[in-house]
Amino acid sequence: MTRTAPAGRTVGNPASTRREDAIGTPPQRPTLVPADRYYSADFARLEVERMWPKVWQLACTVDHVAEPGDYFEYRCGLNSVLIVHGDDGELRAFQNVCRHRGNSLCAGSGSDLRELRCGYHGWTWDLTGELRRVPNRKGFGALRLSDFPLLPVRIDTWERLVFVNLDSDANPLRDYLEAMPEDIGWNRLGDFRCYATMTIEVEANWKTIADGFSETYHIQTLHPELHRCMDDVYAPQVIWGHTGKSEQLYGVPSPAIKESVTDAEVWDAYVTTQGALMGVEDGTPFPSDQQGQSAADVIAARTRAFADGRGVDLSWASTDHVMRLHQYNVFPNMSLLTNADHLTVLVARPGPDPDRGELVMIVWMRMPPDAPRIKPTDVRMTAADAHPGLVLTQDIEVLAGLQRGLHQPGLTHVVLSNEERRVINMHRNLERYLDLPEADRITGGETVDAARR
């Protein structure tokens, strides 16, 4: 039996459908982005001064700091923020710096923290950030402990994600996330538990990394296996401001494929690229007892059975709930990919120079509400050592070449399609934070109506 992609799409509640492609309304001309903003030291310095201290950033998960005494150090460039679960049950965040001589107080993550004691001279704070002890205090003269609390950082959570913002006057996190929480409210994200994070050191700018998870234009070329089990054509996008979204329906071949694709071939491509999501090993053939059902229905049924095996009831999830991937971008550097039984969060962070960055993969599993705590495993590795599945490995392997190419003297601008408008939106937000002069801003991308005006 041969099947093609259905014409429907889902927005928020998968019950409502309409047909829309990934391009939307084509622009009058392409968008041109200055290429040097991907490698310029001056541009990176502007980001450090004007953008990174002003935006909400995903720091860790609730699972990292679930119990009193848990702590987690979040680093982004030179900024270091310490997240602490207090004895009173409150999550607090502080700049990770001793008020005496600037030494870092903690590194990494851990549990059973009772106080924050500087390992250099012994100044000590409690978990609320109040200074409690200064050795040989009389040498400072009239030093009041209350004058030197830890420097607070704004902290908030959404579902099981912990965000921080170094700007004390920043808008609330819920305002920053715009329509995103309501849009994905049906998916019960709070039931997922983080079980691991993988930090991958990449020879590429953080924007080069983030761009790869902000468009589907590359699917047909970079991920030919994925092309046979995902609709990258009718993959509608929406931009809200700081946030944006794309949807991709899995379990169907891309409409861009001209030849017939059987259900068995769709199944094979899905198993090869993400069989682990339904607990099926690579090479498992299309079930012979499922003839007459679409590949999407068979995959969704297997996914529900896989969830049931760990005590998770997905009877509420339709085939569309299971097979439609909702991919959200949060400025500047976060992508959240989810369906009814899958959640992966990707974060791109700056490295020690503009040509190096980090890809942080945060992986989750939906668990029963009464499941015991999972303490996430955090690992760090180079891009050469990272093999997080076929598709993500392909995404990672292309990054170093992309970054080298951006340096070539003849490449003055990156040329973007409206299909890449979540990438464009990132650059427009970046320009607002950096307050760039008109000559350094992106050009083009106007719609036909805007060009006529």
Side-chain angles (χ1 to χ4, degrees):
M1 182 181 297
T2 301
R3 298 182 186 271
T4 57
R9 64 151 294 190
T10 303
V11 179
N13 184 345
S16 61
T17 61
R18 64 187 177 90
R19 188 178 180 89
E20 184 180 329
D21 67 16
I23 296 173
T25 303
Q28 179 74 3
R29 55 177 178 154
T31 298
L32 303 182
V33 178
D36 65 354
R37 62 176 59 179
Y38 284 89
Y39 57 82
S40 163
D42 289 338
F43 196 88
R45 190 158 42 248
L46 279 180
E47 292 175 343
V48 170
E49 293 172 358
R50 302 179 183 179
M51 188 273 289
W52 289 114
K54 299 290 185 181
V55 293
W56 285 100
Q57 303 166 52
L58 175 62
C60 65
T61 75
V62 169
D63 298 292
H64 284 93
V65 286
E67 302 292 338
D70 289 347
Y71 66 93
F72 186 92
E73 181 202 12
Y74 167 66
R75 291 187 188 179
C76 181
L78 293 177
N79 292 326
S80 176
V81 175
L82 190 60
I83 297 158
V84 176
H85 191 139
D87 296 329
D88 57 0
E90 291 293 319
L91 284 182
R92 294 180 177 87
F94 307 103
Q95 294 184 36
N96 187 17
V97 59
C98 175
R99 297 293 303 274
H100 173 219
R101 293 269 295 279
N103 187 39
S104 296
L105 296 172
C106 285
S109 61
S111 302
D112 301 320
L113 191 68
R114 293 293 172 258
E115 60 185 15
L116 293 161
R117 181 177 181 273
C118 178
Y120 197 6
H121 296 96
W123 283 38
T124 304
W125 289 261
D126 65 22
L127 299 190
T128 70
E130 294 299 317
L131 182 60
R132 295 305 184 193
R133 293 191 299 278
V134 173
N136 300 325
R137 180 175 167 187
K138 68 179 183 180
F140 294 92
L143 183 149
R144 293 189 303 177
L145 298 183
S146 60
D147 288 342
F148 298 95
L150 292 180
L151 302 170
V153 173
R154 290 194 64 177
I155 183 170
D156 203 350
T157 61
W158 172 62
E159 296 293 355
R160 300 189 71 80
L161 302 173
V162 180
F163 292 80
V164 295
N165 194 320
L166 290 162
D167 181 7
S168 60
D169 296 322
N171 287 336
L173 174 64
R174 291 305 178 95
D175 293 346
Y176 192 89
L177 295 177
E178 299 160 334
M180 179 178 163
E182 181 180 0
D183 192 81
I184 198 59
W186 61 270
N187 199 22
R188 312 178 192 184
L189 293 182
D191 290 346
F192 286 92
R193 298 291 182 270
C194 172
Y195 63 88
T197 67
M198 180 187 297
T199 300
I200 303 168
E201 299 169 355
V202 181
E203 293 183 1
N205 186 269
W206 71 269
K207 295 184 290 297
T208 306
I209 299 169
D211 286 355
F213 305 106
S214 303
E215 48 90 0
T216 54
Y217 184 39
H218 68 278
I219 297 294
Q220 57 186 295
T221 304
L222 188 62
H223 306 309
E225 303 88 353
L226 200 58
H227 205 220
R228 301 182 72 81
C229 64
M230 189 197 91
D231 183 351
D232 61 327
V233 174
Y234 297 106
Q237 302 184 73
V238 61
I239 302 295
W240 291 303
H242 283 111
T243 57
K245 175 190 176 183
S246 173
E247 296 175 5
Q248 302 102 45
L249 183 63
Y250 282 72
V252 295
S254 169
I257 299 177
K258 302 306 179 185
E259 70 272 16
S260 297
V261 180
T262 66
D263 283 334
E265 290 171 326
V266 172
W267 165 274
D268 290 343
Y270 189 88
V271 169
T272 297
T273 56
Q274 49 219 305
L277 299 184
M278 56 175 176
V280 173
E281 294 183 358
D282 194 12
T284 302
F286 187 67
S288 58
D289 60 345
Q290 302 296 330
Q291 298 297 330
Q293 294 191 61
S294 71
D297 285 331
V298 174
I299 293 168
R302 283 295 182 98
T303 302
R304 293 188 201 96
F306 182 50
D308 187 65
R310 60 181 186 275
V312 173
D313 179 13
L314 281 186
S315 61
W316 58 268
S318 67
T319 293
D320 196 277
H321 282 117
V322 177
M323 302 308 300
R324 191 176 298 276
L325 186 71
H326 300 252
Q327 181 168 340
Y328 297 88
N329 295 91
V330 180
F331 178 80
N333 61 338
M334 175 183 139
S335 296
L336 184 150
L337 299 83
T338 188
N339 61 31
D341 198 40
H342 171 64
L343 176 62
T344 298
V345 179
L346 304 171
V347 180
R349 294 178 185 157
D353 61 62
D355 285 314
R356 288 184 286 175
E358 297 176 349
L359 170 61
V360 183
M361 294 180 53
I362 307 174
V363 289
W364 312 69
M365 183 173 290
R366 191 185 288 279
M367 299 297 291
D370 57 351
R373 176 192 181 185
I374 300 172
K375 182 70 172 178
T377 300
D378 301 320
V379 296
R380 174 179 286 270
M381 63 191 65
T382 66
D385 294 330
H387 303 286
L390 174 65
V391 174
L392 282 170
T393 299
Q394 291 169 337
D395 286 321
I396 293 166
E397 288 176 342
V398 77
L399 292 172
L402 270 170
Q403 190 66 25
R404 285 194 301 273
L406 289 162
H407 278 273
Q408 304 313 303
L411 187 77
T412 60
H413 291 79
V414 175
V415 184
L416 299 181
S417 157
N418 206 49
E419 195 168 348
E420 300 163 291
R421 62 185 178 273
R422 284 176 291 146
V423 177
I424 297 169
N425 187 57
M426 184 272 289
H427 282 283
R428 294 199 186 281
N429 276 307
L430 192 56
E431 290 179 348
R432 285 193 285 271
Y433 278 88
L434 270 51
D435 193 23
L436 296 180
E438 196 64 32
D440 295 336
R441 293 176 177 261
I442 61 179
T443 59
E446 305 95 341
T447 64
V448 174
D449 289 341
R452 286 172 179 167
R453 289 198 299 270

